[in-house]
Amino acid sequence: RELVRLVTRNAVLIVTPTHRVMVQRRPCPQDVQASALTPNDEVLVGNFEVEKLQVVETFKAIVEVIDVTFDPDVPVEAIHPVAILSKGHRFPKTRRSKKRLSRDEVRSIPNTEDSFD
């Protein structure tokens, strides 16, 4: 399996190429796939501090990978004395139907009893 090792002055994180890592981009932080990172990119570490990547190294290893999805989809610290902030596996995009509702369907919400009078 292909992996990416990310190293800053105080943190190390090994992830899959599609793992989302928090980077500082103007005007605000955003997540970027690990495979798109390069040395000198600014990543967020513990306490939302910013450090430059010193090493971005791709390598192969025999490992078991588990995709984790967080709800809400917020950055988390990996277990390490100082950690690079990352996000879990992305939620699958929900596909919504574009069917228009008829007047009867729109008005189908039943009235509820108001007990606060």
Side-chain angles (χ1 to χ4, degrees):
R1 177 129 197 155
E2 190 172 0
L3 300 172
V4 180
R5 186 169 70 102
L6 306 171
V7 180
T8 69
R9 185 181 73 240
N10 295 306
V12 176
L13 182 65
I14 298 174
V15 294
T16 61
T18 58
H19 194 90
R20 297 179 301 150
V21 177
M22 295 305 297
V23 297
Q24 182 61 47
R25 299 266 166 92
R26 305 290 179 237
C28 60
Q30 65 184 42
D31 58 275
V32 173
Q33 287 191 352
S35 62
L37 296 171
T38 60
N40 293 319
D41 280 345
E42 294 182 328
V43 296
L44 297 176
V45 296
N47 296 322
F48 287 88
E49 293 178 21
V50 176
E51 290 189 5
K52 286 189 177 186
L53 283 172
Q54 297 174 342
V55 175
V56 178
E57 174 186 57
T58 302
F59 65 98
K60 291 191 178 196
I62 299 173
V63 294
E64 181 178 357
V65 174
I66 299 171
D67 290 334
V68 178
T69 304
F70 298 105
D71 185 19
D73 187 27
V74 295
V76 296
E77 287 186 63
I79 299 171
H80 195 273
V82 175
I84 296 173
L85 297 183
S86 68
K87 292 180 119 181
H89 187 70
R90 186 176 298 277
F91 281 104
K93 295 200 183 220
T94 304
R95 190 166 176 211
R96 305 261 184 228
S97 172
K98 293 188 180 187
K99 175 187 166 198
R100 297 192 119 202
L101 299 176
S102 70
R103 284 186 175 173
D104 292 334
E105 289 173 312
V106 171
R107 296 181 195 178
S108 69
I109 300 173
N111 289 331
T112 58
E113 184 179 331
D114 183 3
S115 63
F116 296 105
D117 288 337

